[in-house]
Amino acid sequence: MGWKPDRKIKKPLYTQIAEYIENGIIEGRFPVDKPLPSERSLADLCGVNRSTVVAAYSELEANGLIERKKGSGTMISRDIWDLTKKRIPSWNRYIEAGTFLPNIPVMQRIRKQTDESDLINLASGELSSDLFPNEFLRDILAANQFTSNLGYDHQQGNLELRKTIVDHVRKYREIVTEPASVLITSGAQQAIHLVIECLLKPGDAVVVEDPSYSYSLPIFKSAGLKVFPLTVTKNGINPAGLIDLHKKHQIKMIFLNPIFQNPTGTLLPYKQRKEILDISSKFGIPIIEDDPYSLLSFSDDHPATLKSMDSNGNVLYISSLSKIAAPGLRIGWIIGPTSVIERLADAKQQFDFGHSSISQWVGSQFLSSDYFDVHIHLLREELRKRRDTLINHLNDYFGNKIKYYIPMGGIHMWCEFKRDIDEILLLEESIKEGVIFAPGSILGTRKRCIRITYGRATEEQIHQGIRHLFHAYEKIK
Ligand SMILES: Cc1ncc(COP(=O)(O)O)c(C=O)c1O
């Protein structure tokens, strides 16, 4: 047996060994009446630990291909060619083979910890449930006024909701559009996914901000896109960097979250917004404006969305109710030229046959109610208080050991430690102390940075969370 597993490829060694044995059985290289190599000798032949062979044999046994009996070694299953015998598929191999990539392990770990433990949560990019319009939603649901059709709705989403969104974006985001140019999606996330799947092809070059929410999404990689990060500083991205990237890589699309960006909390200054639109028009590169946070401004100055400044039709505009009402409604929308919207709607119909009628109805009632303004006002006030509390406690505990951008809206704050720290080690220590945050390395290329979200925790929890974070920071010195 001259074969050895390949350590350079990503596939786990035990899977490679299991596949090798399975193919050998099918091709007759391992005769049915002879024992397979013992665990120890196979480990020696393959140059791996015995535990790796044990894992490979366990998988083959679970799949019904081999039988293991104490004393008589490992035999090929006598029923292997008996089609009536029930076998379990090699699920692990299917799991590893899919083209849609899983979340990166740190992200999975954060998700598991926030789902399953009582940690103070400064990691999840969402509001705490007391900030949802709970009473309003309970009242309209209790009033039994739901009369909409419960059949499959229009493929772009419920017309009433689309009309409401048209009014909403005209009033709050200075965007002039019409229902035919709106597609209702399952959150902003699905809108981003639809754009990637329908308007781009493998090998296309796209620009995302670094750091950014988009950077953290494996959906770009799953689609085979080449992702080029453009650095976000306190003053946003540098438009000249965009031109350089375009000259080198023929950029096909630009993904931006210009207002109270996740994770930096920054607002792209007006001048750069204008310059980026000019670049987009000059080179004909579409911009995907992802805008879940623009209504959460802490001042009365409402920054203009790129879409509202776009006279050419270069911007596809995405937003949702997740950060201004409740993410569980899963109401998002995308606005753009009707030909694009129809293409995306056709794909959405294939994916899920449209969004829940009840949720669309609730979303429409909420957005068109008089209470909407009251809610947004209360939300902004509360988030501003939480931001200030965060700043106060960061200053008290960390003093000049940390630098941060002061967010003028939204729910995220980006912090950079002045000394070299390993943010993953800090994350692990922090979890032990009782707090969790998002390490910068999952959101971009910059070192020594973390994202703290102040939308999810109460002021008291923010205080305790920063205290725990500080203890963890001291421990990893
Ligand atoms: C910038 C940005 N875009 C999109 C999303 C997805 O949000 P949703 O699908 O809940 O609307 C998020 C969530 O955190 C986000 O921060």
Side-chain angles (χ1 to χ4, degrees):
M1 185 176 127
W3 178 87
K4 277 196 178 15
D6 186 349
R7 289 178 182 274
K8 284 192 219 99
I9 61 173
K10 255 193 168 174
K11 193 180 284 184
L13 295 175
Y14 84 91
T15 311
Q16 293 187 47
I17 295 172
E19 278 177 4
Y20 176 76
I21 302 278
E22 182 175 340
N23 290 336
I25 293 171
I26 293 165
E27 289 158 12
R29 268 181 283 120
F30 296 110
V32 184
D33 52 349
K34 297 250 168 66
L36 288 162
S38 69
E39 288 166 3
R40 193 185 301 277
S41 67
L42 187 55
D44 287 346
L45 288 168
C46 293
V48 298
N49 287 331
R50 191 166 159 190
S51 58
T52 308
V53 172
V54 172
Y57 273 164
S58 300
E59 184 177 302
L60 292 167
E61 189 179 24
N63 296 342
L65 284 171
I66 62 168
E67 286 166 6
R68 289 196 291 172
K69 285 205 187 91
K70 267 218 166 106
S72 50
T74 306
M75 297 297 292
I76 296 171
S77 170
R78 262 169 287 128
D79 307 305
I80 185 158
W81 304 118
D82 175 1
L83 295 181
T84 57
K85 172 131 174 139
K86 292 192 181 81
R87 298 215 177 91
I88 305 166
S90 308
W91 288 122
N92 280 348
R93 262 181 258 162
Y94 283 94
I95 290 167
E96 282 152 16
T99 51
F100 193 81
L101 297 170
N103 264 317
I104 58 167
V106 183
M107 205 78 130
Q108 289 174 343
R109 168 132 174 77
I110 292 173
R111 166 67 60 198
K112 199 164 154 43
Q113 285 293 334
T114 52
D115 281 350
E116 292 173 9
S117 59
D118 283 339
L119 298 172
I120 293 176
N121 188 349
L122 305 178
S124 303
E126 61 177 321
L127 304 172
S128 51
S129 57
D130 59 313
L131 298 183
F132 302 158
N134 293 308
E135 229 169 281
F136 177 87
L137 299 183
R138 259 196 301 272
D139 284 353
I140 59 158
L141 285 167
N144 292 328
Q145 286 163 354
F146 177 74
T147 50
S148 291
N149 176 13
L150 272 175
Y152 292 123
D153 208 330
H154 190 283
Q155 65 173 6
Q156 282 177 226
N158 179 266
L159 181 59
E160 274 316 302
L161 176 58
R162 283 185 286 135
K163 284 183 183 161
T164 306
I165 286 172
V166 167
D167 294 342
H168 167 83
V169 295
R170 185 182 305 119
K171 179 166 175 199
Y172 293 94
R173 305 167 199 233
E174 287 164 44
I175 296 170
V176 178
T177 186
E178 50 176 8
S181 300
V182 179
L183 168 67
I184 308 299
T185 57
S186 177
Q189 178 81 1
Q190 189 182 45
I192 299 171
H193 193 197
L194 285 167
V195 167
I196 291 172
E197 289 294 330
C198 301
L199 307 183
L200 293 164
K201 58 180 189 320
D204 279 350
V206 300
V207 165
V208 303
E209 298 153 307
D210 174 16
S212 74
Y213 171 73
S214 300
Y215 186 97
S216 71
L217 299 177
I219 53 180
F220 287 85
K221 256 196 171 173
S222 297
L225 302 178
K226 289 187 198 133
V227 176
F228 293 98
L230 193 59
T231 306
V232 180
T233 65
K234 177 156 113 256
N235 301 315
I237 54 170
N238 176 4
L242 196 53
I243 299 179
D244 290 345
L245 282 176
H246 184 58
K247 283 188 180 147
K248 281 195 212 131
H249 306 290
Q250 281 276 313
I251 299 302
K252 288 277 166 34
M253 209 172 256
I254 307 162
F255 289 80
L256 296 179
N257 170 204
I259 305 180
F260 313 133
Q261 198 236 13
N262 177 4
T264 61
T266 53
L267 169 64
L268 186 64
Y270 183 81
K271 186 168 157 280
Q272 272 115 296
R273 267 177 274 160
K274 194 99 195 46
E275 281 173 30
I276 286 164
L277 276 176
D278 288 345
I279 294 168
S280 156
S281 306
K282 182 167 173 199
F283 297 102
I285 315 171
I287 297 175
I288 309 304
E289 180 178 23
D290 182 14
D291 179 36
Y293 302 107
S294 64
L295 261 56
L296 302 179
S297 172
F298 301 146
S299 73
D300 290 330
D301 243 10
H302 284 283
T305 57
L306 285 171
K307 182 74 182 161
S308 68
M309 299 162 63
D310 165 38
S311 49
N312 258 9
N314 288 19
V315 177
L316 293 183
Y317 178 82
I318 293 174
S319 190
S320 81
L321 291 187
S322 295
K323 318 294 166 162
I324 55 173
L329 291 169
R330 303 310 301 134
I331 296 279
W333 58 88
I334 176 160
I335 298 175
T338 46
S339 55
V340 174
I341 293 300
E342 281 167 12
R343 168 75 176 95
L344 302 184
D346 176 83
K348 172 154 166 84
Q349 201 188 32
Q350 296 180 57
F351 288 165
D352 63 11
F353 270 118
H355 200 62
S356 150
S357 313
I358 299 174
S359 176
Q360 292 189 77
W361 179 77
V362 171
S364 184
Q365 298 293 311
F366 176 62
L367 278 177
S368 57
S369 71
D370 292 341
Y371 180 68
F372 182 75
D373 265 342
V374 178
H375 170 77
I376 292 294
H377 179 76
L378 291 172
L379 187 55
R380 285 165 45 196
E381 275 307 297
E382 181 58 30
L383 290 174
R384 197 182 47 72
K385 275 203 292 194
R386 290 184 190 186
R387 177 207 60 178
D388 292 345
T389 301
L390 173 59
I391 291 176
N392 288 341
H393 293 302
L394 276 177
N395 291 346
D396 285 352
Y397 284 97
F398 286 91
N400 61 7
K401 296 183 177 69
I402 206 166
K403 286 194 292 191
Y404 50 80
Y405 301 159
I406 298 179
M408 299 312 291
I411 59 175
H412 304 292
M413 177 142 152
W414 185 246
C415 305
E416 183 177 345
F417 293 97
K418 291 208 184 142
R419 79 170 159 86
D420 218 3
I421 57 140
D422 175 342
E423 346 60 92
I424 301 297
L425 198 62
L426 179 64
L427 176 71
E428 291 307 328
E429 273 312 318
S430 299
I431 290 173
K432 286 187 211 148
E433 291 290 323
V435 65
I436 190 160
F437 60 85
S441 52
I442 60 176
L443 296 150
T445 57
R446 230 170 300 163
K447 299 268 178 286
R448 309 198 313 262
C449 294
I450 64 171
R451 184 191 76 185
I452 298 181
T453 299
Y454 49 86
R456 181 69 158 69
T458 61
E459 286 184 76
E460 179 50 29
Q461 285 169 335
I462 290 172
H463 178 187
Q464 293 311 326
I466 299 305
R467 192 164 63 89
H468 295 330
L469 179 67
F470 184 67
H471 289 156
Y473 170 85
E474 291 283 283
K475 277 200 189 148
I476 63 161
K477 257 185 183 169

